[in-house]
Amino acid sequence: MRISDFAVPDTPAARGARELMHEYHSPALINHVVRSWLWAEAFAVVEGRADVDHELLYAAALLHDIGLAPAFDNHVLGYEEAGGHVGEAMAAGAGWPVERRRRINEVIVRHNWPEVDPAFDLEGYLLETATGLDIAGRRDAEIPLEFRREVLTAHPRLGLAEEFGAGVQEQAARKPHSHARRLLDGGVIDKLAKNPLERV
């Protein structure tokens, strides 16, 4: 398994997601969202998942944390819900029909669920699984070590643990009803620090 095995989509939505990612994310978060896409694609291969909507998965992965950016922060909604609306607006501009626009919103929101049934939402499951690996180190051994090393060399973690941890803490303080609060209460700060990807 190599990074080159996974083709980067070249569509209006994919290009739009990349532009937003580069404009509104720090280098650490850019690397995080790109790694999340690669882990999601890798889990699909490891698990033999067919019928993955690769364009949808890519665009959702690149935008899944865009709600943490100050420009898109919502004073009521959790950052994944705010990000879902950004994704939906971007997809509308890319010409996606209404139902497909709703799908990117759903996938972004569901990446923060504790668990997603792949029979219910395959792309949501893959993104939730991938971000679980990149943030908390879940299921790291299921991805080949050489691929993990290649991805981390190409897209290093930089200050992700500190930056993402601070963002979740700030969101949880202002939005105690949100998934950010659940993540914080679930020990995300400790999980970030102890993530085995920090030592690959």
Side-chain angles (χ1 to χ4, degrees):
M1 184 183 295
R2 301 295 304 273
I3 290 176
S4 58
D5 294 339
F6 304 113
V8 175
D10 186 23
T11 64
R15 292 192 294 272
R18 280 196 298 275
E19 289 177 15
L20 289 171
M21 173 190 75
H22 283 293
E23 184 170 353
Y24 292 100
H25 274 332
S26 69
L29 278 172
I30 288 171
N31 285 0
H32 162 62
V33 300
V34 172
R35 284 194 310 271
S36 296
W37 166 63
L38 289 166
W39 303 142
E41 292 284 5
F43 275 115
V45 171
V46 167
E47 297 180 3
R49 302 283 179 185
D51 301 322
V52 176
D53 185 328
H54 297 284
E55 180 192 28
L56 171 63
L57 181 60
Y58 178 81
L62 266 52
L63 297 179
H64 78 266
D65 281 340
I66 199 78
L68 290 172
F72 300 117
D73 188 18
N74 185 295
H75 75 288
V76 175
L77 299 179
Y79 71 89
E80 72 286 349
E81 295 174 284
H85 290 298
V86 174
E88 194 167 341
M90 182 281 300
W96 285 14
V98 172
E99 286 306 313
R100 188 164 171 75
R101 296 200 301 262
R102 288 179 182 150
R103 283 292 295 128
I104 194 170
N105 192 329
E106 291 167 349
V107 173
I108 291 172
V109 167
R110 290 169 185 163
H111 96 270
N112 246 4
W113 285 12
E115 186 177 2
V116 180
D117 182 346
F120 172 66
D121 182 349
L122 178 56
E123 291 77 22
Y125 161 79
L126 290 170
L127 188 55
E128 182 273 321
T129 303
T131 55
L133 167 57
D134 208 61
I135 295 299
R138 292 197 323 246
R139 299 176 58 182
D140 65 303
E142 297 179 38
I143 302 300
L145 178 58
E146 287 307 310
F147 183 69
R148 278 180 275 152
R149 286 176 173 161
E150 183 188 11
V151 170
L152 290 163
T153 298
H155 308 285
R157 294 181 69 78
L158 305 178
L160 177 69
E162 296 79 10
E163 185 176 337
F164 185 79
V168 169
Q169 287 178 309
E170 194 272 339
Q171 289 271 321
R174 289 191 293 114
K175 307 170 191 179
H177 58 282
S178 69
H179 280 289
R181 180 81 256 171
R182 177 185 60 77
L183 290 173
L184 193 62
D185 292 345
V188 70
I189 303 300
D190 191 50
K191 290 173 183 175
L192 281 160
K194 293 180 177 177
N195 191 324
L197 295 179
E198 295 284 353
R199 295 172 290 282
V200 170

